[in-house]
Amino acid sequence: MPQKAIRLTDVPAAGTDLEDYVAALFHASGYYVEKSLVERDPDDVLELDIVATRYTEKHPDSIIVEAKGGKWGYTDIFKVVGWMRYLHQARGAFFVVRDQSKDVGRVKLRSSRMGVSFVHLDDFARASQIFEEAELGSPSSSAVVNLWRFSSMVERKLVKNIHSDIKVRPEAIGPTEILRYHRLVNDGIFFTETHVETLEMLYGAYKDHPKLTLAAAQELQNGTYDPNPALEQNALIREALIQGNHNILQSSLYAEHRARLAILRAAVNLCCTYPGGYESSLESGSDEWNAYWLLPQTFREALTWLSAQRNFHLYALFWQQFLWGWGGFYLRHIQETEFEWMSKYSGLPSADIPSALETFDRFFPMGKSSWITESNYTDIVQVKLMPMAFQGIGAHQRRQEYDDAKLEKIGGIGYTVTNMKRWINLTVDFLGGIYIEEPDELA
C-alpha cells in the first residue's frame, strides 16, 4: 500500500484553502477566530469569511476579514466596509493573492482611510512577515500556522459529515438536530445585539439538547430518536471515543464542545464589558435584568467566579486553542513544560492555566465528576468527550513542539505515546490519508 500524508498546498490560491490559511495566521498571532459566519433571516443576508478578536487589557478588539483568491476590485473592499458599518465594527482586513495590475500602495492608502487593512499575499514564503507588516500581529511560526490549517480541515470535515449523513439517512432526526445546533452556535449567536441575548439563546439551545450525542447514538443504534434519553451510556459512543468510529457522533461531540466554548466566550465578553460586575449594572425590573435572572444559577455563580480571575479575558482564547489546537489534553509528567508553551501561544500566564482549566466545571458542572479526567494507564490529562481527530492534531503539535517526529522522547507511563500515535493515525485516516512519520506534515 502506498504511503500517503495530509499535505498542505504551498500556495492556497482561492476558496476555503485560502480562508483557512488567513484564519491560521490570526490563530497563530493570538486571536480568537470565528469562521464562515452566515446571517440567515431566513434567507442568507451575508456571509463573513473570518472574524478575528484580540483580547488585550480586557478589551475585545474584533476585525472583519475577507480573503479573495480570484478577481477583486474596490467594490469588494466597499462590501467589507458595509459589513463593518452594519455590524458596528471599526476594523476590517482584505486579503488578496493577485494584484489585478493595480497600484497596491494606492489601494492600501485608500483602504486604510476606511478602516480596512489591505494585505497583498504576493509571496507565501513571506506570509507571516506580510501579516506583521500590515500591523495585524506576529504569527508565532509557520509550523503553528500549518497546525491551524490542519485543524480547520478537521472542522470542515466534521461539518461536511453532518450534511453527508443527512443525505444518506434523510429520515433520521439526529443529524438534522446536530446541524441546526451547529448553525446556531457558529452563526446565530454572532448576530445577536447584546451579550445577555447571546447567553439566552445559547443556554436555551443547550437546555434543549442536554444529551445530543447520546440521542444521536441511540438513534443510530435502534432507529429511535429521543432528545432526552434515559440511559446514560451507549456502546457506539464508547467506540467513538476509544476507536474514533462513527463520524456523525464525532461531529456531534464537536458541536457540543463548540456550544460550551461559545457560552464561555459570551461570559468573557460580558465580564470585559462590565468590569465592575454585570449584575450590579442592571436596572431592577428591566428586560435585561429579567433575562439575566432566568439564566441558570450555576452560570450566574460561574460568572462571578470568572470576573474575579486575574486574566479571565484570555480564558475563551485559551480554551479555543486547547480544544482545537492542542487536542484538549496536556501531559501530566511534563506539565510545567506543557504549560510554558501553552502560555507562549495563548498569552495566558502558565500560573493561571490551572484556574482556566476549571472553567468547564464551573459553567457546566457534572456533579462529583470533572470535565478534566486523568488515567492510571497514561500521563494524558484530557477533556472528556473530545472528537478524536482533534486529539490527533494535539499529538501532532507535540511532535512539532518537542522536535520528536516519532514521539520517542516524550516518555510517560503506559499507553501515553501509543495513544498519541494512534490518534495521529486516526486523524490522518479521517482526513483521507495514510500514516507516515514526518514531523513537517500531518502524517
Side-chain angles (χ1 to χ4, degrees):
M1 182 180 293
Q3 290 183 321
K4 296 181 181 178
I6 306 301
R7 293 185 172 90
L8 297 166
T9 55
D10 292 333
V11 182
T16 57
D17 283 349
L18 179 61
E19 292 170 20
D20 289 348
Y21 190 99
V22 173
L25 290 170
F26 281 99
H27 271 301
S29 301
Y31 286 80
Y32 186 98
V33 179
E34 299 163 279
K35 296 172 291 190
S36 302
L37 298 158
V38 180
E39 182 175 19
R40 298 177 173 90
D41 193 28
D43 299 321
D44 293 356
V45 176
L46 61 88
E47 181 173 357
L48 306 176
D49 287 349
I50 300 161
V51 176
T53 304
R54 173 170 276 172
Y55 288 84
T56 56
E57 298 181 358
K58 302 185 180 180
H59 175 71
D61 182 19
S62 295
I63 305 175
I64 292 174
V65 183
E66 174 81 350
K68 283 291 241 186
K71 294 182 179 179
W72 60 272
Y74 279 107
T75 54
D76 296 296
I77 300 174
F78 294 148
K79 182 172 68 173
V80 174
V81 175
W83 291 341
M84 291 161 57
R85 301 294 181 268
Y86 175 65
L87 297 169
H88 310 290
Q89 298 291 339
R91 299 182 64 197
F94 189 72
F95 286 74
V96 301
V97 176
R98 303 178 184 179
D99 62 15
Q100 299 293 100
S101 300
K102 291 181 173 62
D103 184 334
V104 171
R106 185 180 293 273
V107 176
K108 286 183 178 180
L109 179 61
R110 288 179 172 175
S111 299
S112 67
R113 291 171 180 169
M114 296 181 282
V116 178
S117 298
F118 179 85
V119 185
H120 182 205
L121 292 174
D122 59 336
D123 181 1
F124 279 89
R126 294 181 57 254
S128 292
Q129 182 180 342
I130 293 169
F131 189 89
E132 189 170 357
E133 289 170 352
E135 299 182 351
L136 293 171
S138 301
S140 47
S141 71
S142 59
V144 173
V145 171
N146 287 341
L147 181 89
W148 283 107
R149 293 176 70 190
F150 288 130
S151 181
S152 289
M153 290 173 67
V154 169
E155 286 193 88
R156 290 188 185 279
K157 182 70 179 291
L158 287 166
V159 176
K160 181 180 179 180
N161 284 344
I162 305 173
H163 291 276
S164 299
D165 206 66
I166 289 172
K167 290 181 180 180
V168 172
R169 300 188 296 140
E171 77 289 349
I173 298 173
T176 301
E177 286 298 308
I178 295 167
L179 180 61
R180 184 180 293 117
Y181 195 38
H182 171 264
R183 283 180 170 173
L184 182 143
V185 171
N186 189 73
D187 304 333
I189 61 169
F190 179 81
F191 298 98
T192 55
E193 295 188 2
T194 66
H195 299 310
V196 75
E197 182 184 353
T198 298
L199 287 163
E200 275 189 293
M201 185 181 294
L202 280 170
Y203 264 111
Y206 196 72
K207 184 178 178 181
D208 291 340
H209 301 86
K211 301 175 182 178
L212 182 62
T213 304
L214 182 59
Q218 294 203 9
E219 183 183 37
L220 194 62
Q221 192 171 52
N222 59 32
T224 302
Y225 184 83
D226 180 354
N228 196 3
L231 296 176
E232 293 295 329
Q233 310 229 350
N234 182 279
L236 300 189
I237 292 182
R238 182 174 174 79
E239 291 173 6
L241 294 174
I242 295 177
Q243 301 170 20
N245 295 346
H246 310 300
N247 283 340
I248 191 61
L249 301 186
Q250 300 290 332
S251 298
S252 184
L253 292 169
Y254 164 68
E256 291 198 86
H257 271 319
R258 277 292 307 273
R260 295 179 192 103
L261 179 61
I263 290 172
L264 170 58
R265 199 279 182 94
V268 167
N269 286 347
L270 201 60
C271 290
C272 287
T273 305
Y274 299 94
Y278 179 64
E279 185 177 321
S280 61
S281 73
L282 297 174
E283 179 184 350
S284 179
S286 66
D287 289 344
E288 195 168 2
W289 186 89
N290 291 329
Y292 172 75
W293 284 100
L294 287 174
L295 292 170
Q297 180 180 348
T298 52
F299 168 79
R300 288 185 272 113
E301 292 173 350
L303 190 68
T304 300
W305 170 84
L306 180 67
S307 64
Q309 304 310 302
R310 181 174 51 182
N311 288 294
F312 70 81
H313 60 293
L314 295 172
Y315 280 20
L317 168 64
F318 172 84
W319 269 88
Q320 184 178 66
Q321 295 188 341
F322 187 58
L323 291 171
W324 315 140
W326 309 331
F329 71 90
Y330 67 88
L331 300 174
R332 179 175 50 202
H333 65 297
I334 51 172
Q335 174 179 314
E336 184 176 342
T337 301
E338 292 266 292
F339 285 4
E340 283 177 0
W341 63 255
M342 289 180 179
S343 174
K344 178 178 67 175
Y345 295 133
S346 67
L348 183 67
S350 57
D352 292 338
I353 290 178
S355 173
L357 290 171
E358 286 184 40
T359 309
F360 270 27
D361 287 337
R362 295 279 184 170
F363 281 90
F364 318 106
M366 303 177 72
K368 295 181 180 180
S369 185
S370 171
W371 279 101
I372 307 295
T373 181
E374 299 188 28
S375 167
N376 293 327
Y377 305 104
T378 76
D379 273 314
I380 297 170
V381 182
Q382 64 187 54
V383 180
K384 290 179 178 176
L385 304 179
M386 277 296 295
M388 190 165 286
F390 286 115
Q391 292 176 308
I393 295 292
H396 181 62
Q397 164 75 351
R398 272 68 179 187
R399 296 200 307 171
Q400 294 182 161
E401 196 62 36
Y402 301 128
D403 190 21
D404 189 3
K406 297 183 179 181
L407 295 174
E408 293 176 340
K409 296 181 289 187
I410 285 179
I413 65 171
Y415 298 101
T416 301
V417 171
T418 302
N419 278 359
M420 287 196 290
K421 286 185 175 181
R422 182 169 58 87
W423 290 344
I424 293 173
N425 267 310
L426 289 167
T427 301
V428 172
D429 185 60
F430 177 76
L431 293 174
I434 301 171
Y435 179 62
I436 61 175
E437 293 178 342
E438 294 182 21
D440 55 346
E441 55 193 354
L442 183 57

